[in-house]
Amino acid sequence: DVDEASLDTEWAGAVARGATIVFVYSTDVYTSATYVVDNDVAPVLSMSYGECEMYDLGILTSNRQLVQQANAEGITWLAAAGDQGSTDCDGGMVVAEGGLAVDVPGSIPEVTSMGGTSFNEGLGSYWNSGNTSTDESAKGYIPETTWNESAVNGGILGTGGGASVYFPQRSEERRVGKEC
């Protein structure tokens, strides 16, 4: 997991210039997350690790309790949406056989889960010929689209997402609020 962790911390530092980034590690990602929550290490916990929600059904309740504890302490928990599209249990497969599935901890309602994007530059001109005095190479916002390399790689490889099989969706009334 060292390569993934190095990539994540490098990009976090590149995107959030001036932020203090604390890399907490152990033999298990949830042990590290528990340490962050119990010791109030930072106001944001970012976890790019996850797995098929169906593999974790037995511990989803305890994982959710940890996330709820983090939220109660003012910690925002961010997590990756996965890399197998909406078929998270089909990692390494060429054809989806396991059915629709999402990534956990991203499926936990109190977690903000995000998927990957790719630049969608088209014929636009979004890059400077060199870096600016503040080391920026882009001229401004570059249009994005959902990340999907399935056709390129001959397997399922794209941003995750979908509905949890464990946690029920909130009703439309609760999401929007009651009309007065």
Side-chain angles (χ1 to χ4, degrees):
D1 295 340
V2 172
D3 291 339
E4 175 84 14
S6 294
L7 179 68
D8 292 347
T9 53
E10 284 180 39
W11 273 108
V15 172
R17 295 180 186 187
T20 299
I21 297 170
V22 179
F23 176 48
V24 177
Y25 61 94
S26 68
T27 57
D28 176 78
V29 69
Y30 281 100
T31 300
S32 297
T34 300
Y35 179 87
V36 169
V37 174
D38 288 347
N39 293 282
D40 197 22
V41 172
V44 177
L45 186 155
S46 178
M47 180 186 286
S48 68
Y49 299 100
E51 64 183 349
C52 170
E53 181 183 58
M54 298 300 291
Y55 299 160
D56 272 349
L57 290 178
I59 60 172
L60 277 177
T61 300
S62 62
N63 288 350
R64 185 177 191 188
Q65 289 171 343
L66 179 62
V67 173
Q68 289 173 330
Q69 178 186 344
N71 287 178
E73 294 175 14
I75 299 172
T76 299
W77 192 308
L78 307 172
D83 296 334
Q84 280 77 44
S86 60
T87 60
D88 203 58
C89 296
D90 289 317
M93 303 295 288
V94 175
V95 176
E97 297 175 356
L100 297 176
V102 295
D103 207 54
V104 67
S107 68
I108 297 172
E110 294 82 7
V111 170
T112 300
S113 182
M114 57 246 141
T117 62
S118 297
F119 287 139
N120 188 19
E121 299 173 68
L123 300 174
S125 175
Y126 301 101
W127 302 98
N128 293 312
S129 58
N131 287 351
T132 65
S133 61
T134 56
D135 292 327
E136 297 166 350
S137 55
K139 293 180 181 179
Y141 175 74
I142 302 169
E144 299 170 83
T145 188
T146 52
W147 168 62
N148 185 352
E149 295 181 18
S150 296
V152 175
N153 291 313
I156 303 167
L157 190 59
T159 190
S164 171
V165 297
Y166 186 81
F167 299 108
Q169 292 185 359
R170 296 187 315 178
S171 69
E172 186 66 28
E173 182 178 291
R174 284 189 58 209
R175 279 192 299 246
V176 177
K178 293 183 178 181
E179 290 184 33
C180 297

